[in-house]
Amino acid sequence: MQQKIVFIGGPGTGKTSVLRFLNRQGFKCMPEISREVTKKAQEEGIEQLFLTDPILFSTKLLEGREKQYIEADNSKDRIVFFDRGIPSIHAYMRYFNTEFPSVFMEKSEQYRYTKIFQFLPWKEIYKSDNERYETFEQSELISKYLHKAYTELGYEIINVPFDNVRNRCNFILSHM
């Protein structure tokens, strides 16, 4: 049976660095797609699509994450890692106090993951950039919303310790 492993956490917590390392080790990894959606909107003159039209942005994320899930299902890989999962979408909408259609919860229940690893906010590694506009304090709050969204769906959360990328990967792999 395939294991679908999701990394959650606020922005700048090290998820992508760990995912890249695992990818270099030969694991199937599904990258975060919100940066792609944000960049495309910026090319079209919309600085922050999530802030301008959160439902459109979230719908694009849902489509992309659903596609990633199905791609994983169709692969022969024993383990697939995801940089965020479908429930992360409604967690962010709750963080921004945005009402959302029931389809977001329905898809979160339909597409289930095997394990959830949370990367907690870590001030020493946090950086903002063109697509990451949140402050460290906002990252801390987002982390709480993410934790709540996944636990409400019955997931057990495994916290990834603060450490270098290799040791974080070893910690995750030890839980497979």
Side-chain angles (χ1 to χ4, degrees):
M1 183 175 154
Q2 184 182 70
Q3 293 188 66
K4 291 179 178 69
I5 312 301
V6 175
F7 294 167
I8 65 170
T13 55
K15 298 176 304 296
T16 303
S17 296
V18 168
L19 196 78
R20 285 184 187 134
F21 187 90
L22 289 167
N23 195 347
R24 288 193 302 271
Q25 304 307 309
F27 289 97
K28 175 86 170 172
C29 298
M30 299 295 185
E32 168 57 273
I33 57 174
S34 66
R35 284 181 174 269
E36 181 183 315
V37 171
T38 299
K39 281 182 184 178
K40 188 171 184 180
Q42 286 173 343
E43 289 167 7
E44 296 169 4
I46 303 168
E47 190 56 34
Q48 286 298 340
L49 180 58
F50 186 84
L51 300 175
T52 306
D53 191 342
I55 298 299
L56 176 61
F57 179 83
S58 299
T59 299
K60 289 179 180 291
L61 285 185
L62 181 61
E63 291 167 358
R65 290 195 182 140
E66 186 175 17
K67 184 178 172 184
Q68 286 180 330
Y69 190 101
I70 292 166
E71 181 184 330
D73 256 359
N74 292 330
S75 78
K76 291 181 172 41
D77 296 284
R78 224 175 39 80
I79 301 173
V80 180
F81 292 97
F82 295 81
D83 192 341
R84 300 192 187 275
I86 292 171
S88 299
I89 302 168
H90 70 264
Y92 265 82
M93 286 191 285
R94 285 179 176 162
Y95 165 73
F96 281 103
N97 201 23
T98 301
E99 288 191 36
F100 53 90
S102 62
V103 68
F104 291 96
M105 292 300 294
E106 291 162 10
K107 295 292 183 174
S108 291
E109 303 234 3
Q110 178 183 351
Y111 295 105
R112 301 293 295 181
Y113 301 96
T114 312
K115 290 188 181 178
I116 311 298
F117 287 91
Q118 183 160 19
F119 290 68
L120 297 171
W122 187 5
K123 195 148 186 115
E124 285 74 25
I125 67 167
Y126 182 82
K127 288 183 236 164
S128 60
D129 59 27
N130 287 340
E131 291 85 38
R132 181 184 299 139
Y133 55 86
E134 300 91 344
T135 65
F136 179 76
E137 291 72 22
Q138 288 172 314
S139 179
E140 290 179 307
L141 192 53
I142 289 166
S143 186
K144 291 175 184 173
Y145 276 87
L146 288 162
H147 187 273
K148 184 177 180 187
Y150 282 86
T151 55
E152 283 178 347
L153 289 164
Y155 289 108
E156 180 182 325
I157 308 293
I158 302 166
N159 288 326
V160 178
F162 299 137
D163 208 333
N164 65 49
V165 172
R166 179 180 300 277
N167 288 344
R168 290 179 121 188
C169 289
N170 288 339
F171 173 83
I172 291 163
L173 293 173
S174 76
H175 284 81
M176 297 294 108

